[in-house]
Amino acid sequence: MADRVFNRETLLDLTVNFIPMGMIIFFFALFILADPFPADAMAVGTSLGLLVIPFVVLAITTYVTGRIIAEADQTGRSGTAAKISSIATGMDHEADDEA
């Protein structure tokens, strides 16, 4: 079970992100199937872009958050969180943790 990145408890923590992802998929399918703006390509592109971009960002955020939670559960700290913090602040926090 140590091979799995996300265990059952991590997936429960991430459920809060899966629900909006499901809603985005529903509205994407609705826009594709209902075709509310058949003649206006700009409106279709904008509406689909306003669904696809947040879905991708939320999917990436969910994956990174899941890795951080799983690493913290297994080792008590997260190397992924330290890397993100180093990138965001421009400081090397990993060196501080090792000392």
Side-chain angles (χ1 to χ4, degrees), residues 5 10 65-81:
V5 175
T10 304
T65 304
R67 277 194 57 166
I68 290 171
I69 292 170
E71 288 174 0
D73 283 347
Q74 291 174 357
T75 63
R77 62 182 301 275
S78 173
T80 303

Side-chain angles (χ1 to χ4, degrees), residues 26-93:
F26 169 77
F27 284 110
F28 182 83
L30 185 66
F31 271 112
I32 295 296
L33 296 176
D35 201 16
F37 310 109
D40 193 1
M42 182 67 158
V44 172
T46 302
S47 64
L48 292 179
L50 288 172
L51 292 171
V52 171
I53 293 170
F55 181 83
V56 170
V57 170
L58 185 59
I60 292 169
T61 303
T62 301
Y63 176 75
V64 171
T65 304
R67 277 194 57 166
I68 290 171
I69 292 170
E71 288 174 0
D73 283 347
Q74 291 174 357
T75 63
R77 62 182 301 275
S78 173
T80 303
K83 288 177 189 174
I84 292 171
S85 176
S86 296
I87 292 168
T89 61
M91 299 171 60
D92 187 16
H93 296 288

Side-chain angles (χ1 to χ4, degrees), residues 4 6-15 69-70 73:
R4 296 178 55 189
F6 303 132
N7 60 16
R8 183 173 163 250
E9 288 143 16
T10 304
L11 289 174
L12 285 173
D13 289 338
L14 297 176
T15 301
I69 292 170
D73 283 347

